Amino acid sequence: MSDKATLEINGKKYEFPLVTGTENEVAIDIKTLRGVTGGVTTVDPGYKNTGSCESAITFLDGEKGILRYRGYSIEELAEKADFLEVAYLLIFGELPNQEELDKFHSDIKKHAVVDDDIKKILDAFPKSAHPMGVLASLTSALTAFNPTSVNVDSEEEMYNAIVRILGKFPILVAWTMRKKQGMPLDYGSSSLGYVENILQMMFKRPDEDYTQSKILVNALDKLLILHADHEQNCSTSTVRITGSSHAGLFVSLSAGISALWGPLHGGANQAVLEMLEAIKEDGGDTKKYMAKAKDKSDPFRLMGFGHRVYKNFDPRAKIIKVAADEVLSDLGVDDPILDIAKGLEKEALEDPYFVDRKLYPNVDFYSGIIYRAMGIPVEMFTVMFALGRLPGWIAQWKEMRTRKEPIGRPRQLYIGETYRPFKSIDKR
Ligand code: CMC
């Protein structure tokens, strides 16, 4: 194969280098395009064909259904690693040995406290506030309590910023839920594992000791690992582009949380459960909703189906489907919603509309069923996604800053009015 791509514009040829990634993916390097062509640009709404960066964190092959963090398959990580190991792997590039993992956890625990004034901010939100809005605001507000900017050339300062947010973020997550439920805020316990402590902070009642359930810890650990990174998706790109202006880590994460909130992205897990609930209330008529999803005059979409990159299957969805069966059976929960979900999946996989468009269940299709069985309220589902995605966002922000990437600033093709003279108000 040639190592160059040739572009012909108005009879003039331009050559651009081809670059190949470690998994043999090929890209055309168009860094010089505007310069050599005198301003010609590219148009690619939704960035369907645009690589925004070079990255060594996550590899995914949408045709083959492959997802790997730093070279390790998602299947192996979900089975054999825990969330904190995966967080370390994503952020620092290698699986930690026991000593490194213990130090990492101990450093995180040192920062597992937030300024008490955060409670005042939390108090100011109405009970009706969506937890994602609250979480985005609190994450951004952390900057006010930790105002020193990070010198990204200092490994020590980067490390400190990372363990700080990994310590504080679960508190914000848990408090967001407890506040909504009118429960007193809880700091958990430093004697617990990272995920165990999250569960305790979320669920411990003031009048009872909290007994850890191995089933819940394992289920949450797995869900967080499956959500931990997914290369240049909408929220991650938002984190990178926000941070590319040298805005700090916490506000970049806050921007990512806002991007994740939308129903086409992380908000889909809440939307899936609401959809399944609506189908159940409507008598369980899945055929009716399949027809609505296919009807182009109806805005309804089958939530939890389809993916920008996966066009065969989403490997995370496969793992989550099995986990949903296991968790519900281990917890002794018989949820009719699981049967509706399985019925919808079966119908969709046999329906030419979904088959032709390569629409398969994605990570969000079954995750909500597990969250619900764990006792997590529907409005918190996307917050749980954010909790899982945190190490991925951190890793991507760190990579972007340490590679000294330029500020993100896409071009456009202007299609508005050409010059027109100003009209005074009496002439309009
Ligand atoms: N139900 C019905 N039709 C769909 C669906 C769906 N869920 N998803 C895509 N299509 C159709 C779409 O109408 C279009 O049809 P046509 O070619 O006839 O116009 C075709 O499939 C291609 O869809 P698209 O919207 O151009 O594809 P995209 O890559 O821009 O969007 C997506 C991907 C995930 C936004 C979309 O599949 C979707 O809206 N799915 C439902 C929401 C969802 O589950 N999101 C979670 C994504 S995975 C986790 C995450 O990212 O956070």
Side-chain angles (χ1 to χ4, degrees):
M1 190 169 82
S2 155
D3 58 355
K4 288 192 170 56
T6 308
L7 181 67
E8 188 172 328
I9 303 170
N10 292 335
K12 204 164 166 208
K13 288 190 175 158
Y14 304 91
E15 281 193 337
F16 298 95
L18 291 182
V19 282
T20 308
T22 49
E23 289 283 354
N24 295 322
E25 291 177 303
V26 178
I28 307 168
D29 177 349
I30 57 158
K31 280 196 223 66
T32 59
L33 176 70
R34 287 178 53 79
V36 295
T37 59
V40 174
T41 196
T42 54
V43 183
D44 186 20
Y47 310 121
K48 292 192 177 193
N49 306 282
T50 299
S52 60
C53 60
E54 289 177 351
S55 179
I57 301 170
T58 289
F59 171 70
L60 73 89
D61 180 329
E63 302 302 325
K64 297 194 186 127
I66 293 174
L67 171 60
R68 296 188 200 126
Y69 300 158
R70 302 281 189 185
Y72 296 101
S73 80
I74 192 66
E75 289 81 4
E76 266 197 288
L77 290 171
E79 194 193 323
K80 298 175 186 164
D82 71 25
F83 178 58
L84 212 53
E85 283 178 280
V86 170
Y88 187 101
L89 170 70
L90 284 167
I91 298 168
F92 301 111
E94 295 296 338
L95 283 166
N97 60 30
Q98 193 62 53
E99 200 184 319
E100 288 164 335
L101 185 62
D102 291 346
K103 177 175 180 337
F104 188 46
H105 192 196
S106 144
D107 291 335
I108 289 170
K109 284 196 269 194
K110 282 184 207 144
H111 292 285
V113 59
V114 294
D115 193 294
D116 219 44
D117 278 349
I118 288 277
K119 290 179 181 165
K120 293 188 192 148
I121 303 176
L122 195 56
D123 275 342
F125 284 100
K127 269 251 164 62
S128 57
H130 193 284
M132 281 298 275
V134 178
L135 185 67
S137 308
L138 294 182
T139 306
S140 182
L142 278 183
T143 311
F145 297 96
N146 302 268
T148 22
S149 62
V150 180
N151 171 8
V152 298
D153 294 323
S154 155
E155 263 187 48
E156 193 190 345
E157 283 195 29
M158 280 297 240
Y159 180 82
N160 287 339
I162 290 163
V163 289
R164 193 172 293 138
I165 190 65
L166 284 167
K168 296 181 193 312
F169 197 74
I171 299 172
L172 304 185
V173 165
W175 284 10
T176 299
M177 180 176 111
R178 293 178 81 95
K179 180 75 196 164
K180 202 160 172 74
Q181 296 183 328
M183 294 259 277
L185 307 180
D186 193 284
Y187 263 117
S189 160
S190 60
S191 63
L192 295 171
Y194 190 73
V195 171
E196 287 175 336
N197 196 38
I198 293 170
L199 285 169
Q200 167 142 333
M201 283 194 292
M202 289 174 77
F203 291 115
K204 185 181 176 306
R205 296 184 55 85
D207 51 338
E208 285 172 4
D209 286 339
Y210 181 72
T211 316
Q212 290 287 339
S213 147
K214 200 95 199 105
I215 301 168
L216 294 196
V217 176
N218 289 342
L220 184 56
D221 215 284
K222 192 173 279 199
L223 283 168
L224 297 179
I225 290 172
L226 293 175
H227 286 90
D229 195 47
H230 214 234
E231 50 117 305
Q232 307 313 316
N233 56 83
C234 177
S235 57
T236 301
S237 299
T238 303
V239 170
R240 283 184 88 124
I241 205 161
T242 306
S244 78
S245 73
H246 296 192
L249 174 59
F250 300 166
V251 284
S252 302
L253 294 171
S254 170
I257 295 166
S258 300
L260 185 73
W261 191 356
L264 298 191
H265 192 12
N269 59 11
Q270 175 176 342
V272 169
L273 212 97
E274 286 166 354
M275 173 189 80
L276 295 174
E277 213 28 88
I279 298 175
K280 191 183 107 193
E281 293 303 309
D282 203 9
D285 186 357
T286 48
K287 297 229 161 21
K288 177 172 159 190
Y289 287 85
M290 288 289 288
K292 272 166 76 63
K294 293 189 282 181
D295 179 357
K296 292 288 170 200
S297 63
D298 189 328
F300 176 80
R301 280 190 166 197
L302 200 54
M303 299 314 285
F305 260 78
H307 197 274
R308 170 61 60 80
V309 184
Y310 292 121
K311 300 297 173 196
N312 185 336
F313 66 93
D314 180 339
R316 302 166 302 172
K318 270 197 172 177
I319 301 171
I320 291 188
K321 185 180 177 185
V322 175
D325 268 328
E326 283 170 6
V327 173
L328 266 62
S329 118
D330 286 353
L331 293 173
V333 174
D334 182 18
D335 192 341
I337 292 264
L338 181 60
D339 296 328
I340 293 178
K342 284 185 180 169
L344 267 181
E345 178 183 350
K346 188 168 180 302
E347 278 174 49
L349 295 182
E350 288 164 3
D351 189 301
Y353 174 96
F354 289 88
V355 174
D356 292 351
R357 289 170 180 74
K358 302 189 173 175
L359 301 171
Y360 297 87
N362 59 48
V363 67
D364 291 322
F365 194 62
Y366 287 102
S367 63
I369 294 173
I370 305 182
Y371 288 137
R372 184 155 93 154
M374 294 174 74
I376 297 174
V378 176
E379 279 198 328
M380 280 294 293
F381 289 2
T382 315
V383 168
M384 301 313 288
F385 190 151
L387 183 64
R389 186 55 55 89
L390 180 67
W393 286 334
I394 295 171
Q396 300 273 352
W397 176 87
K398 176 171 173 275
E399 181 180 72
M400 182 270 307
R401 290 303 312 270
T402 47
R403 282 175 60 97
K404 310 266 181 243
E405 282 178 14
I407 185 167
R409 205 303 186 184
R411 307 297 301 210
Q412 64 166 14
L413 187 68
Y414 178 69
I415 55 164
E417 298 284 352
T418 54
Y419 174 75
R420 40 186 181 161
F422 181 78
K423 248 189 221 172
S424 58
I425 197 157
D426 53 312
K427 304 225 171 67
R428 286 175 218 162

